[in-house]
């Protein structure tokens, strides 16, 4: 594979039934129709080892739009540091042909997952799975100069608009591509893990309600500025990947995480 978590690095996006990052982000996940008996996947299922003791993340990408090895290695280390999975955490790459879309709607994204996703959670085997799709086009609901970089749209499903990520990285005055990819993927997974007040309760109140399910600490990975193409440039000044602050860490530990 090529050198390698509305995280709308950019705007909040509207949807009705889907787990998404941004304002009005639903707290309760929907059942996955592809899992036997429509098992509901909750943030605690990711964080603790009670129901699932291993995690496999299927990383699907359009040919030519693969994430960097560095970003994937960072994501794996991030998950291993926060999740109790004695059976291990694995990332499985998958390549798919371009769907030929000029832009992706949420309906397009769902259909692509239904067609190409091959790994699914199995409660009997205590195997939990997640899906990441790295796309070759922008989000259909972008407005103006701000562009969405990623969405967590279901309890275990995320899309990264890799074409857009590359547009806002690697150039003069921009973060490197691995830094931006890492920030987007980890932020999106942060929402899957229930941050902030998004299925994982807060030990103390630190939600920036004005900006939805985000942290009020401007240095935290879950701060709202990580979602916007303008503010993210300053947010990632110096090429440093933001980390979770102590309040977010306390929330994850309180819900079964490390």
């Amino acid at each position: 594979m090529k050198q390698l978590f509305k995280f709308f690095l950019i705007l909040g996006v509207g949807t009705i039934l889907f787990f998404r990052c941004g304002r009005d982000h639903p707290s309760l996940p929907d059942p996955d129709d592809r899992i036997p008996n429509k098992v509901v996947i909750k943030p605690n299922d990711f964080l603790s080892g009670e129901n699932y003791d291993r995690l496999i993340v299927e990383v699907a990408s359009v040919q030519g739009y693969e994430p960097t090895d560095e970003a994937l290695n960072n994501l794996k280390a991030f998950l291993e540091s926060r999740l109790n999975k004695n059976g291990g955490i694995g990332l499985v790459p998958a390549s798919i042909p371009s769907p030929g879309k000029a832009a992706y709607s949420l309906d397009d994204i769902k259909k692509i997952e239904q067609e190409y996703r091959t790994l699914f959670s199995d409660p009997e085997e205590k195997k939990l799975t997640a899906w990441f799709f790295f796309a070759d086009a922008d989000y259909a609901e972008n407005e103006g100069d701000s562009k969405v970089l990623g969405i967590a749209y279901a309890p275990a499903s995320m899309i990264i608009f890799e074409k857009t990520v590359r547009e806002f990285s690697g150039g003069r005055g921009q973060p490197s591509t691995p830094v931006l990819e890492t920030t987007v993927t980890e932020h999106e997974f942060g929402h899957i893990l229930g941050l902030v007040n998004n299925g994982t309760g807060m030990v103390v109140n630190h939600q920036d309600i004005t900006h939805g399910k985000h942290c009020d600490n401007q240095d935290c990975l879950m701060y709202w500025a990580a979602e916007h193409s303008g503010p993210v440039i300053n947010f990632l000044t110096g090429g440093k990947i933001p980390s979770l602050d102590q309040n977010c860490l306390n929330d994850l530990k309180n819900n079964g995480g490390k």
Side-chain angles (χ1 to χ4, degrees), residues 43-108:
N44 175 264
D45 292 324
F46 282 93
L47 292 164
S48 78
E50 182 178 358
N51 295 322
Y52 300 92
D53 62 8
R54 59 190 173 113
L55 170 65
I56 301 175
V57 182
E58 186 171 5
V59 182
S61 56
V62 173
Q63 297 171 5
Y65 290 86
E66 298 87 354
T68 62
D69 289 327
E70 183 177 345
L72 292 186
N73 289 337
N74 289 339
L75 174 62
K76 188 172 187 290
F78 171 79
L79 295 174
E80 289 175 338
S81 70
R82 304 274 69 91
L83 312 186
N84 283 300
K85 298 300 175 195
N86 293 333
I89 297 173
L91 274 60
V92 178
S95 181
I96 70 173
S98 174
K101 299 286 185 179
Y104 290 97
S105 66
L106 280 173
D107 189 54
D108 293 332

Side-chain angles (χ1 to χ4, degrees), residues 216-237:
D216 61 8
N217 183 345
Q218 62 183 359
D219 296 321
C220 179
L221 173 67
M222 302 309 295
Y223 188 60
W224 73 271
E227 297 185 345
H228 299 264
S229 57
V232 75
I233 301 302
N234 294 327
F235 186 58
L236 299 179
T237 296

Side-chain angles (χ1 to χ4, degrees), residues 24-184:
D24 305 322
H25 195 204
S27 297
L28 298 176
D30 299 313
D32 188 333
D33 290 340
R34 292 153 301 189
I35 298 175
N37 300 320
K38 295 186 177 181
V39 174
V40 174
I41 301 298
K42 306 177 298 297
N44 175 264
D45 292 324
F46 282 93
L47 292 164
S48 78
E50 182 178 358
N51 295 322
Y52 300 92
D53 62 8
R54 59 190 173 113
L55 170 65
I56 301 175
V57 182
E58 186 171 5
V59 182
S61 56
V62 173
Q63 297 171 5
Y65 290 86
E66 298 87 354
T68 62
D69 289 327
E70 183 177 345
L72 292 186
N73 289 337
N74 289 339
L75 174 62
K76 188 172 187 290
F78 171 79
L79 295 174
E80 289 175 338
S81 70
R82 304 274 69 91
L83 312 186
N84 283 300
K85 298 300 175 195
N86 293 333
I89 297 173
L91 274 60
V92 178
S95 181
I96 70 173
S98 174
K101 299 286 185 179
Y104 290 97
S105 66
L106 280 173
D107 189 54
D108 293 332
I109 295 164
K110 289 170 50 187
K111 289 179 180 178
I112 290 167
E113 180 181 3
Q114 290 170 354
E115 181 174 0
Y116 291 104
R117 183 171 178 174
T118 63
L119 302 176
F120 303 98
S121 299
D122 189 330
E124 292 186 1
E125 295 184 1
K126 301 193 73 173
K127 178 184 72 175
L128 181 64
T129 65
W131 160 270
F132 251 128
F133 173 47
F134 287 76
D136 59 341
D138 295 338
Y139 185 53
E141 294 190 26
N142 286 336
E143 296 180 2
D145 295 331
S146 289
K147 293 186 177 182
V148 173
L149 298 187
I151 308 172
Y153 61 91
S157 304
M158 297 149 281
I159 180 171
I160 303 299
F161 298 98
E162 180 68 13
K163 174 181 178 292
T164 316
V165 168
R166 295 184 185 184
E167 179 183 346
F168 288 98
S169 64
R172 184 175 180 179
Q174 295 178 330
S176 70
T177 299
V179 165
L180 189 52
E181 285 176 338
T182 298
T183 304
V184 179

